[in-house]
Amino acid sequence: MVATGAAFNIGLDRGESDTTDFSIRDARPSDNESLIALAAACPMVGDVSLRIDRGPSFFALNRLEGDRWRVGVAEQDGEILGCVAVSERRSFVNGRASLTGYAGDLKVHPAHRNTTIADELSMYCERACSELPATAPVLITVLAGNRSMERRLSGPRGVPAFKSIGTIRTYSVPILWRRSVASSITIAPANWSDLGEMAGLWKRVAPLRQLAPVLPIDAMAWWIRSTPGVDISSYRVARSKTGELLGFFAVWDQRAFKQLNVVGYSPRMKAARAVFNSVAPALGGERMPGTGHSLSCITIAHICVPGDRPDALRALLASTHNDLRRSGISFVNVGLDTRDPLSAAMDGFFAQPTDVNAYVTRSRSGVPSEPLNEAPIHYEIALV
């Protein structure tokens, strides 16, 4: 029921503003408060429309996006009108570790929206990716149904053009009655002693998924130690009765640096909310908040489960769900490619789906980006 997972989710129609005198530059630390205000002014619109509060540090998410990252801003007379973020990361492309790019956080203030600002921010992205290998794909995601952004993907007026590579479905799982966990699978919080096995499983699973990050043991340890709201015990590990590691993921509470505030419900969701709130307390769940209140949710990160073991992912989810009952958390958000065989693990959780379409650059500097095979996409919805 939470519209998360969209990096480009705003309308960018021509003619909404006559803003013409602005400049594009790299963001500075002193822009933090202005960028937090910009994010709050650009809600994600869906069945549950949400305002994102990125305080106290707008840049906290960007620092986790890749090895190198930049945020560009559109400025007029000292006012930040829009922004976009670009990062460089090592990811698996067709099974090989490669440098890739990611562009997100494209936002234009509603009072200043026009095609010119969006175009110039898009060109900033193009320039920021100039040091990547010529064939390296640059990923963006767009909330399904965002027609204004979809019209830009063909590359009008010389802005970068993109091609579709798949759809990520965000499943918002409500916390309700206790779920059964397969007796053949044991779930436990991870310890630092598990990290070597976890990194080994990632090394086997990640190359089978497009754009999964390269995470050797030292990079995984750095990420765990550096990420707000995460420690080693945030990870859940699934093992067989013989002790074999079957899979793991991180349970990430991001409220210390990203809060979701409800700004409205669609008519359909208003009715669903009334029904949900009438039964949730009796089932161990939390009521969905009213307009103007924060939505408490957890996001799953670093899903590492072989494609032929949806039972392991289901056990991880069921155990996490049970641990969160009566905790004040309303939903668990899980993101999977719609082609992913692991999606079978979501059956029966009564999850509300939100689709986000994924695209990569058609070409850069006149050189076609490397074509991607049909392997499922790995996309971290927690980093949006």
Side-chain angles (χ1 to χ4, degrees):
M1 297 180 183
V2 184
T4 60
F8 289 80
N9 56 16
I10 59 176
L12 297 169
D13 292 327
R14 180 185 292 274
E16 294 182 32
S17 167
D18 60 359
T19 303
T20 56
D21 184 17
F22 63 91
S23 60
I24 303 292
R25 61 168 174 81
D26 286 324
R28 299 185 286 260
S30 58
D31 295 322
N32 182 58
E33 293 301 322
S34 294
L35 287 168
I36 291 172
L38 176 64
C42 299
M44 295 189 297
V45 178
D47 279 338
V48 182
S49 296
L50 299 169
R51 185 185 77 246
I52 301 177
D53 182 353
R54 292 276 290 270
S57 173
F58 179 89
F59 303 106
L61 273 179
N62 303 112
R63 294 188 184 102
L64 301 173
E65 291 285 6
D67 299 327
R68 295 195 300 172
W69 60 273
R70 294 170 65 181
V71 175
V73 299
E75 181 183 42
Q76 182 186 53
D77 298 329
E79 180 184 3
I80 303 299
L81 310 181
C83 71
V84 72
V86 186
S87 62
E88 176 184 300
R89 58 180 71 169
R90 288 184 60 78
S91 307
F92 288 103
V93 176
N94 297 326
R96 305 184 325 275
S98 307
L99 277 177
T100 63
Y102 173 71
D105 262 343
L106 177 61
K107 306 180 192 299
V108 179
H109 194 283
H112 299 283
R113 283 185 182 165
N114 64 34
T115 302
T116 304
I117 294 175
D119 284 358
E120 291 302 319
L121 290 169
S122 296
M123 296 310 297
Y124 171 92
C125 290
E126 179 86 351
R127 294 189 298 272
C129 293
S130 62
E131 295 184 15
L132 288 172
T135 59
V138 177
L139 172 71
I140 69 169
T141 57
V142 178
L143 191 66
N146 187 337
R147 305 303 179 202
S148 297
M149 271 305 306
E150 289 170 353
R151 287 195 291 270
R152 298 177 58 81
L153 299 172
S154 62
R157 301 173 299 281
V159 300
F162 293 85
K163 58 185 176 182
S164 173
I165 59 168
T167 297
I168 307 300
R169 180 160 292 160
T170 297
Y171 299 88
S172 292
V173 178
I175 305 299
L176 293 170
W177 59 83
R178 189 170 185 83
R179 300 284 182 171
S180 62
V181 180
S183 60
S184 59
I185 298 175
T186 302
I187 309 297
N191 296 300
W192 285 111
S193 58
D194 296 313
L195 195 63
E197 281 185 280
M198 292 163 63
L201 184 62
W202 188 277
K203 186 176 180 180
R204 296 196 300 275
V205 171
L208 304 177
R209 298 173 179 275
Q210 295 291 11
L211 304 175
V214 177
L215 279 179
I217 188 171
D218 56 341
M220 189 175 289
W222 175 89
W223 198 91
I224 295 169
R225 291 190 170 104
S226 303
T227 300
V230 170
D231 59 33
I232 188 63
S233 64
S234 303
Y235 285 77
R236 302 290 189 272
V237 295
R239 293 186 181 276
S240 69
K241 289 299 185 183
T242 61
E244 177 190 3
L245 181 63
L246 303 177
F248 65 86
F249 60 40
V251 181
W252 192 1
D253 185 344
Q254 300 181 296
R255 288 176 292 178
F257 63 96
K258 185 176 78 171
Q259 303 84 44
L260 302 177
N261 298 287
V262 177
V263 296
Y265 290 99
S266 69
R268 183 180 72 85
M269 281 308 302
K270 285 181 180 178
R273 174 176 174 265
V275 173
F276 182 88
N277 285 355
S278 69
V279 301
L283 297 175
E286 296 293 325
R287 291 184 174 93
M288 293 179 66
T291 300
H293 295 275
S294 62
L295 181 69
S296 298
C297 59
I298 291 290
T299 303
I300 300 302
H302 285 174
I303 296 174
C304 183
V305 180
D308 62 352
R309 294 305 305 260
D311 59 323
L313 179 57
R314 182 175 183 80
L316 284 163
L317 287 170
S319 175
T320 299
H321 170 280
N322 293 344
D323 289 345
L324 292 174
R325 294 179 75 240
R326 308 189 190 282
S327 68
I329 299 298
S330 301
F331 297 95
V332 176
N333 294 318
V334 183
L336 294 169
D337 189 323
T338 54
R339 301 167 297 182
D340 197 326
L342 292 176
S343 298
M346 306 308 303
D347 292 347
F349 277 105
F350 299 100
Q352 172 71 24
T354 299
D355 285 351
V356 178
N357 295 321
Y359 304 85
V360 293
T361 40
R362 291 185 180 277
S363 64
R364 297 176 42 254
S365 302
V367 179
S369 296
E370 180 174 349
L372 304 185
N373 64 32
E374 293 298 313
I377 304 162
H378 179 102
Y379 181 66
E380 294 289 353
I381 62 169
L383 293 178
V384 175

